[in-house]
Amino acid sequence: MINANDKEGLACFNLNSNYGIAIDPNNVFWGIISKREDSKIVLSRKMLSLYEKVRNDLDKQMEEFRFSSQLSAIYINPTDRCNANCPYCYIPERLRKNGSSMNGKQLEYVLEQIEEYFKGSKRKPVIIFHASEPLLVKDIIFKVINDFSNQFYFGLQTNALLLEEADVNFLKEHNVGVGISLDSFEPKVNNSLRPTTQGRGNYRKATAAIEWFCGYEGLNVITTITRLNVTHLPQMVEFLHTKKVPRVLFNPVRMTQKSARSLQPDEKLLTKYFIEAIDKAIELSRISEHKIIIGNFANIILGIVAPTARRLMCDISPCGGGRSFLTITPSGDMIPCGEFIGLKGFSGGNIFKTSISEAMQSKPFKRIRSRVVEKIPECNRCVFRNICGAPCPAELYSLGNMYQKAIFCKFYKEIIKYALKLIAEGKEKYLLRPDSLKNLEHEYELT
């Protein structure tokens, strides 16, 4: 049983032959229960008493997390252009070929406006250089990283085609978080998914850059899962582990653009090989000094054991777009998330003319923040609704209706159930970053 009834409170379902789960879908209070010989799930008085004791506080925490969390990160797309031609890219090809780029003064102005917005904030905001390929304007990016290093934490997403060893040293010295795109351990498959505009691919440059980083804690490898590489996930974990990569993100392809839809992986295969990749990461993390984390699965684990501590905001509704982060395009448009670049009607203003505060209160941003699972048929009855979040609004809007369940709904359900199984087996310590484990404290516990 996966759906909850319409009543408030705990819902129960079978996890496997040994365990059942009791969960409150609203606040993600949960308990793992050993089933009786007749396979029935029986809630103990102790669990029900604990639930009633913490329920109101957990309701308030979830409400605040979903609807009161503040802007903390801004994605800056300093250029529309790209030196690659990935078939599933969410940025339209016309922009990647003929789009605009910021100059140095414009980028500095944008950062000054962001600094002004966050003045007096206790937390240091995060700036991520994203888009098509930000290193096409490498010089102006590296200049502002150097000039604004005291004001912001910086991140950079790149295909690594323009990354040199000296650049890696600079990024490490400035503690920049770096995401490198690599879709397969097999050069031919990777290069077919991440071809350059000259028809080659990024495999050689990406793997060289990964080796230059040599276990750098701020490195992520981003793998977009398609029908061409879905079976490669377990071997990809093994390959990246040998390269001392600390984290990998395995992201199912977004079908925001029509060109990506022919690459949709079979959902059963996606589930099978994603789970095998999780098992491989656990195995390698147990037997070696080097730990490799699947970042988006770690986020699901956090969504269960510490719901308000999760970092990736796709797995909650409303999503983080226009709420905890926003994207600034090369022309200065402020949109809820980069996935909306090719979609009309989602600009909340232009940073060269209007303020970030105005964008946050704009109709397009409020529109995205109003999309919650309670308004989505089927999701509104799902016990996992506040773990999954039914991503992604931009993808679903492009398919005709933002208020529908996620494309990979069955996959998300199975992966969440698998996360609960691993937690029941006490394996969450192999699935989270060491700093995440260190910062977690029990708010409630019943053994």
Side-chain angles (χ1 to χ4, degrees), residues 18 47 82 100 114 132 144 160 167 203 213 229 303 307 360 388 445:
N18 297 319
M47 177 180 284
C82 194
S100 61
I114 297 171
S132 293
V144 295
D167 301 331
Y203 181 87
F213 276 106
N229 66 346
M360 292 299 289
C388 162
E445 183 180 19

Side-chain angles (χ1 to χ4, degrees), residues 27 33 53 103 109 114 120 130 134 158 161 195-196 204 214 229 314 336 344 361 364 381 384 389 443:
N27 59 32
I33 306 153
K53 181 180 178 182
N103 59 40
Y109 177 83
I114 297 171
H130 212 273
T158 178
L161 287 169
T196 66
R204 183 182 63 81
C214 192
N229 66 346
C314 294
K344 294 181 180 179
Q361 295 306 314
R381 295 178 290 110
F384 299 145
E443 186 159 346

Side-chain angles (χ1 to χ4, degrees), residues 243-256:
K243 304 285 186 187
K244 299 184 179 178
V245 172
R247 279 176 305 282
V248 57
L249 291 174
F250 285 145
N251 297 327
V253 61
R254 293 276 190 232
M255 274 146 308
T256 311

Side-chain angles (χ1 to χ4, degrees), residues 285-309:
S285 295
R286 290 179 76 167
I287 64 174
S288 71
E289 293 182 3
H290 173 60
K291 194 173 186 179
I292 186 165
I293 302 297
I294 299 175
N296 42 336
F297 186 70
N299 205 60
I300 290 172
I301 295 288
L302 283 175
I304 297 168
V305 302
T308 61

